[in-house]
Coordinates of all heavy atoms in Angstrom, one line a residue:
T1 N -66.1 -130.2 89.3 CA -65.3 -130.2 88.0 C -65.4 -128.9 87.3 O -64.7 -128.7 86.3 CB -65.8 -131.3 87.0 OG1 -67.1 -131.0 86.7 CG2 -65.7 -132.7 87.7
R2 N -66.2 -128.0 87.8 CA -66.3 -126.6 87.2 C -65.0 -125.8 87.6 O -64.7 -125.7 88.8 CB -67.5 -125.9 87.5 CG -68.7 -126.5 86.8 CD -69.9 -125.6 86.7 NE -71.0 -126.2 86.0 CZ -71.1 -126.0 84.7 NH1 -70.3 -125.3 84.0 NH2 -72.2 -126.6 84.1
T3 N -64.3 -125.2 86.6 CA -63.1 -124.5 86.9 C -63.2 -122.9 87.0 O -62.5 -122.3 87.7 CB -62.0 -124.8 85.8 OG1 -62.5 -124.4 84.6 CG2 -61.6 -126.3 85.8
R4 N -64.2 -122.4 86.4 CA -64.5 -121.0 86.5 C -65.4 -120.7 87.8 O -66.6 -120.8 87.6 CB -65.1 -120.4 85.2 CG -65.1 -118.9 85.1 CD -65.8 -118.4 83.9 NE -65.0 -118.9 82.7 CZ -64.0 -118.3 82.1 NH1 -63.5 -117.2 82.7 NH2 -63.5 -118.8 81.1
V5 N -64.8 -120.3 88.8 CA -65.6 -120.2 90.1 C -65.4 -118.9 90.8 O -65.1 -118.8 92.0 CB -65.2 -121.4 91.0 CG1 -65.8 -122.7 90.6 CG2 -63.7 -121.5 91.2
A6 N -65.6 -117.8 90.0 CA -65.5 -116.5 90.5 C -66.5 -115.6 89.8 O -66.6 -115.6 88.6 CB -64.1 -115.9 90.3
L7 N -67.2 -114.8 90.6 CA -68.2 -113.9 90.1 C -68.0 -112.5 90.7 O -67.5 -112.4 91.8 CB -69.6 -114.4 90.4 CG -70.0 -115.8 89.8 CD1 -71.5 -116.1 90.3 CD2 -70.0 -115.7 88.3
S8 N -68.5 -111.5 90.0 CA -68.6 -110.2 90.6 C -69.8 -110.1 91.6 O -70.7 -110.9 91.5 CB -68.8 -109.1 89.5 OG -70.2 -109.3 88.9
P9 N -69.8 -109.3 92.5 CA -70.9 -109.1 93.5 C -72.3 -108.9 92.6 O -73.3 -109.4 93.1 CB -70.5 -108.0 94.3 CG -69.0 -108.0 94.4 CD -68.7 -108.4 93.0
A10 N -72.1 -108.0 91.6 CA -73.4 -107.8 90.8 C -74.0 -109.0 90.2 O -75.2 -109.3 90.2 CB -73.1 -106.7 89.8
T11 N -73.1 -109.9 89.6 CA -73.6 -111.0 89.0 C -74.1 -112.0 90.0 O -75.1 -112.7 89.8 CB -72.4 -111.7 88.2 OG1 -72.0 -110.8 87.2 CG2 -72.9 -113.0 87.5
A12 N -73.4 -112.2 91.2 CA -73.9 -113.0 92.2 C -75.3 -112.6 92.7 O -76.1 -113.5 93.0 CB -72.9 -113.0 93.4
R13 N -75.4 -111.3 92.9 CA -76.8 -110.9 93.3 C -77.9 -111.1 92.3 O -79.0 -111.4 92.6 CB -76.7 -109.4 93.7 CG -76.0 -109.1 95.0 CD -76.2 -107.7 95.5 NE -75.4 -106.8 94.7 CZ -74.2 -106.4 95.1 NH1 -73.6 -106.9 96.1 NH2 -73.5 -105.5 94.3
A14 N -77.5 -111.0 91.0 CA -78.4 -111.4 90.0 C -78.8 -112.8 90.0 O -80.0 -113.1 89.8 CB -77.8 -111.0 88.6
V15 N -77.9 -113.7 90.3 CA -78.2 -115.2 90.5 C -79.2 -115.2 91.6 O -80.2 -116.0 91.5 CB -77.0 -116.0 90.7 CG1 -77.3 -117.4 91.1 CG2 -76.0 -115.9 89.5
L16 N -78.9 -114.5 92.7 CA -79.8 -114.7 93.9 C -81.2 -114.2 93.6 O -82.2 -114.5 94.3 CB -79.2 -114.0 95.1 CG -77.9 -114.7 95.6 CD1 -77.2 -113.9 96.8 CD2 -78.1 -116.1 96.0
R17 N -81.3 -113.2 92.7 CA -82.7 -112.7 92.4 C -83.4 -113.6 91.4 O -84.6 -113.3 91.2 CB -82.5 -111.3 91.8 CG -82.1 -110.2 92.7 CD -82.3 -108.8 92.1 NE -81.6 -108.7 90.8 CZ -80.4 -108.2 90.6 NH1 -79.8 -107.8 91.7 NH2 -79.8 -108.1 89.5
G18 N -82.7 -114.5 90.9 CA -83.3 -115.4 89.8 C -83.3 -114.8 88.5 O -84.0 -115.3 87.6
D19 N -82.4 -113.9 88.2 CA -82.2 -113.2 87.0 C -81.4 -113.9 86.0 O -81.3 -113.5 84.8 CB -81.8 -111.7 87.1 CG -82.9 -110.9 87.9 OD1 -84.0 -111.3 87.9 OD2 -82.5 -109.8 88.4
V20 N -80.6 -114.8 86.4 CA -79.6 -115.6 85.6 C -80.2 -117.0 85.4 O -80.3 -117.8 86.3 CB -78.2 -115.6 86.2 CG1 -77.2 -116.4 85.2 CG2 -77.7 -114.2 86.4
R21 N -80.5 -117.3 84.1 CA -81.1 -118.6 83.9 C -80.1 -119.5 83.0 O -80.5 -120.7 82.8 CB -82.4 -118.4 83.1 CG -83.4 -117.5 83.8 CD -83.8 -118.2 85.1 NE -84.7 -117.4 85.8 CZ -86.1 -117.5 85.7 NH1 -86.6 -118.4 84.9 NH2 -86.9 -116.7 86.4
S22 N -79.0 -119.0 82.6 CA -78.1 -119.9 81.7 C -76.7 -119.8 82.3 O -76.3 -118.8 82.9 CB -78.1 -119.4 80.3 OG -77.0 -120.0 79.5
W23 N -75.9 -120.8 82.1 CA -74.5 -120.8 82.5 C -73.7 -119.7 81.8 O -72.7 -119.3 82.3 CB -73.8 -122.2 82.4 CG -74.3 -123.1 83.5 CD1 -75.3 -124.1 83.4 CD2 -73.7 -123.2 84.8 NE1 -75.3 -124.8 84.6 CE2 -74.4 -124.2 85.4 CE3 -72.7 -122.5 85.4 CZ2 -74.1 -124.6 86.8 CZ3 -72.4 -122.8 86.8 CH2 -73.2 -123.8 87.4
A24 N -74.2 -119.4 80.6 CA -73.5 -118.4 79.8 C -73.4 -117.1 80.6 O -72.4 -116.3 80.5 CB -74.1 -118.2 78.5
G25 N -74.4 -116.8 81.4 CA -74.4 -115.6 82.2 C -73.4 -115.6 83.3 O -73.2 -114.6 84.0
L26 N -72.7 -116.8 83.6 CA -71.7 -116.8 84.6 C -70.4 -117.1 84.0 O -69.4 -117.5 84.6 CB -72.0 -118.0 85.5 CG -73.4 -118.0 86.2 CD1 -73.5 -119.2 87.1 CD2 -73.5 -116.7 87.0
G27 N -70.2 -116.9 82.6 CA -69.0 -117.0 82.0 C -68.6 -118.4 81.5 O -67.5 -118.7 81.2
E28 N -69.6 -119.3 81.7 CA -69.3 -120.8 81.3 C -70.0 -121.1 80.0 O -70.8 -120.3 79.5 CB -70.0 -121.7 82.4 CG -69.3 -121.7 83.8 CD -68.1 -122.6 83.9 OE1 -68.3 -123.8 84.0 OE2 -67.0 -122.2 83.6
P29 N -69.7 -122.2 79.4 CA -70.4 -122.6 78.2 C -71.9 -122.6 78.4 O -72.3 -122.9 79.5 CB -69.8 -123.9 77.8 CG -68.5 -124.0 78.5 CD -68.6 -123.1 79.7
A30 N -72.6 -122.2 77.4 CA -74.1 -122.1 77.5 C -74.7 -123.4 77.9 O -74.2 -124.5 77.5 CB -74.7 -121.6 76.1
G31 N -75.7 -123.3 78.7 CA -76.5 -124.4 79.1 C -77.5 -124.0 80.2 O -77.3 -122.9 80.8
R32 N -78.6 -124.7 80.4 CA -79.6 -124.4 81.3 C -79.1 -124.4 82.7 O -78.4 -125.3 83.1 CB -80.8 -125.3 81.2 CG -81.9 -124.9 82.1 CD -83.1 -125.9 82.0 NE -82.8 -127.1 82.7 CZ -83.0 -127.4 84.0 NH1 -83.5 -126.5 84.8 NH2 -82.7 -128.6 84.5
L33 N -79.3 -123.3 83.5 CA -78.8 -123.2 84.8 C -79.9 -123.6 85.8 O -81.0 -123.0 85.8 CB -78.3 -121.8 85.2 CG -77.9 -121.5 86.6 CD1 -76.7 -122.3 87.0 CD2 -77.7 -120.0 86.8
R34 N -79.8 -124.6 86.5 CA -80.7 -125.1 87.5 C -80.2 -124.6 88.9 O -79.1 -124.9 89.2 CB -80.9 -126.6 87.5 CG -81.8 -127.1 88.6 CD -81.7 -128.7 88.7 NE -82.5 -129.3 89.8 CZ -82.2 -130.4 90.3 NH1 -81.2 -131.1 90.0 NH2 -83.0 -130.8 91.3
V35 N -81.1 -123.9 89.6 CA -80.7 -123.4 90.9 C -81.5 -124.0 92.0 O -82.8 -124.1 91.9 CB -80.9 -121.8 91.0 CG1 -80.5 -121.3 92.4 CG2 -80.0 -121.1 90.0
V36 N -80.9 -124.6 93.0 CA -81.5 -125.3 94.2 C -81.1 -124.5 95.4 O -79.9 -124.3 95.7 CB -81.2 -126.7 94.3 CG1 -81.9 -127.4 95.5 CG2 -81.6 -127.5 93.0
A37 N -82.1 -124.0 96.2 CA -81.8 -123.1 97.3 C -82.2 -123.7 98.6 O -83.3 -124.3 98.7 CB -82.4 -121.8 97.1
A38 N -81.4 -123.6 99.6 CA -81.8 -124.0 101.0 C -82.8 -123.0 101.6 O -82.9 -121.8 101.2 CB -80.6 -124.0 101.9
P39 N -83.6 -123.4 102.6 CA -84.5 -122.5 103.3 C -83.7 -121.3 103.8 O -82.6 -121.4 104.3 CB -85.0 -123.3 104.4 CG -84.9 -124.7 104.0 CD -83.7 -124.8 103.2
G40 N -84.4 -120.1 103.7 CA -83.7 -118.9 104.2 C -83.0 -118.1 103.2 O -82.6 -117.0 103.4
S41 N -82.9 -118.7 101.9 CA -82.3 -118.0 100.8 C -83.2 -116.9 100.3 O -84.5 -117.0 100.5 CB -81.9 -119.0 99.7 OG -81.0 -119.9 100.2

């Protein structure tokens, strides 16, 4: 149901480093961002 589904490469890499902790950092309304990663990430 999320409609804003596009990021810059820099923002995507920040997510992968664990530097983004809120949905506000992805251009969505503020809220805690929970990240679940598969092995090998």
